[in-house]
C-alpha cells in the first residue's frame, strides 16, 4: 500500500505555479485543489459558503481560519483526494499549517514544494504583460499586439493593468515573502520542504519537481 501523496505548492505570482500544478496533478493522478478557485467558484454559484465569503470580502475582511478549515477539511475528505492531492493556496499562516498537519495526522503533509523564482525575473515577466481591455487576451512586450497597443484578435485596446506596474508588483512580492517565509520555515524544520528553481523551461522544471518528489516521498 503506497501512502497518499499529499503535496503543498508555494510560489509567488509569476512563478509558473499554475502550470506546474496542472502538470504534477496529471503526472500523479491527483487533484489540484486551489482554495482560491474554490472560493471564487463558491461565490459564483451562490452557495451558502459563497454567500458567507462574499459578505466577508465585501466588508473588506479576511476569510477566517475556521471557515477555511471547514472548506479544506471537506474538500480533502472527498473520494478523489484519498490517494493524495496537490493543495494550492492553503495554508497561509503557521496556524493553518499546524491545523493541516493535525488533520492529516499521523503522516501529515508529504512534501511542501516551493517554486523559487528570482524577484527581478518575476518583475520583468509581469511588467512586460499587456492585456486587451475588450477580450481579455494577454500579450507580452515584443508581440505585435503589445507593442502596437491594438489587439490582434479583436482590435481592442491593449494596455498594462495597474496591478502589473513595477511598484505594484514589488509591493505584492514583499507581502508574499512576509507571509510565506514562516510557512517555508515550518516545513523545512520538519525536513519536508523541497525548493526547486522555477526559472527556465517549464518542461525541465516539471522534471526537477517530479524527481524531487519521488526522492522525498
Ligand atoms: Zn482583444
Amino acid at each position: 500500500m503506497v501512502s497518499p501523496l499529499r503535496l503543498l505548492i508555494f510560489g509567488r505570482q509569476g512563478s509558473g505555479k499554475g502550470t506546474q500544478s496542472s502538470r504534477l496533478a496529471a503526472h500523479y493522478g491527483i487533484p489540484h485543489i486551489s482554495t482560491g478557485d474554490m472560493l471564487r467558484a463558491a461565490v459564483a454559484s451562490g452557495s451558502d459558503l459563497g454567500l458567507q465569503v462574499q459578505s466577508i470580502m465585501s466588508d473588506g475582511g479576511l476569510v477566517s481560519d475556521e471557515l477555511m478549515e471547514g472548506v479544506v477539511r471537506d474538500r480533502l475528505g472527498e473520494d478523489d483526494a484519498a490517494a493524495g492531492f496537490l493543495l494550492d493556496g492553503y495554508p497561509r499562516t503557521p496556524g493553518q499549517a499546524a491545523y493541516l498537519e493535525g488533520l492529516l495526522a499521523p503522516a501529515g503533509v508529504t512534501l511542501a514544494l516551493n517554486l523559487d523564482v528570482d524577484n527581478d525575473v518575476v518583475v520583468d515577466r509581469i511588467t512586460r504583460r499587456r492585456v486587451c481591455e475588450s477580450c481579455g487576451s494577454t500579450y507580452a512586450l515584443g508581440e505585435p499586439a503589445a507593442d502596437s497597443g491594438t489587439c490582434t484578435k479583436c482590435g481592442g485596446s491593449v494596455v498594462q493593468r495597474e496591478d502589473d506596474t513595477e511598484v505594484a508588483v514589488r509591493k505584492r512580492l514583499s507581502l508574499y515573502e512576509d507571509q510565506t517565509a514562516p510557512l517555508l520555515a515550518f516545513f523545512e524544520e520538519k525536513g519536508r520542504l523541497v525548493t526547486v528553481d522555477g526559472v527556465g523551461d517549464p518542461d525541465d522544471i516539471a522534471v526537477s519537481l517530479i524527481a524531487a518528489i519521488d526522492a522525498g516521498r
Side-chain angles (χ1 to χ4, degrees):
M1 163 94 192
V2 183
S3 54
L5 184 60
R6 295 149 158 178
L7 302 173
L8 308 183
I9 190 159
F10 297 99
R12 64 200 62 167
Q13 189 200 17
S15 66
K17 183 176 65 152
T19 303
Q20 295 303 329
S21 293
S22 306
R23 289 180 185 225
L24 292 176
H27 179 83
Y28 290 107
I30 54 178
H32 169 211
I33 299 173
S34 157
T35 52
D37 287 349
M38 286 173 68
L39 294 180
R40 279 186 289 276
V43 170
S45 75
S47 64
D48 284 351
L49 169 68
L51 293 173
Q52 281 187 64
V53 171
Q54 196 166 31
S55 80
I56 293 164
M57 287 176 166
S58 62
D59 289 342
L62 290 174
V63 177
S64 70
D65 277 0
E66 289 75 16
L67 189 108
M68 281 311 299
E69 286 170 6
V71 168
V72 167
R73 187 179 59 235
D74 289 354
R75 181 63 186 88
L76 299 188
E78 286 178 29
D79 289 345
D80 70 336
F85 52 79
L86 176 65
L87 185 57
D88 174 359
Y90 189 92
R92 288 196 187 269
T93 65
Q96 291 181 349
Y99 170 78
L100 188 63
E101 284 287 278
L103 183 69
L104 301 175
V109 169
T110 312
L111 289 172
L113 311 172
N114 178 31
L115 266 183
D116 192 29
V117 177
D118 186 75
N119 272 353
D120 290 337
V121 173
V122 177
V123 169
D124 184 59
R125 251 185 226 175
I126 296 173
T127 55
R128 295 173 65 81
R129 188 160 64 193
R130 299 293 183 270
V131 181
C132 172
E133 287 183 315
S134 303
C135 73
S137 295
T138 56
Y139 300 99
L141 288 183
E143 294 180 79
D147 292 345
S148 70
T150 305
C151 182
T152 42
K153 290 180 187 147
C154 79
S157 292
V158 173
V159 300
Q160 182 178 43
R161 289 188 304 206
E162 268 178 47
D163 276 359
D164 292 345
T165 60
E166 177 159 357
V167 172
V169 175
R170 291 216 182 262
K171 189 171 167 195
R172 278 203 304 284
L173 289 174
S174 119
L175 284 172
Y176 173 85
E177 255 160 51
D178 292 349
Q179 185 180 53
T180 311
L183 291 168
L184 300 182
F186 179 96
F187 290 103
E188 182 155 42
E189 249 170 54
K190 295 173 185 289
R192 281 187 265 142
L193 179 68
V194 167
T195 296
V196 168
D197 186 353
V199 179
D201 185 319
D203 290 336
D204 296 339
I205 297 164
V207 167
S208 304
L209 278 167
I210 288 165
I213 293 165
D214 289 346
R217 68 182 298 188

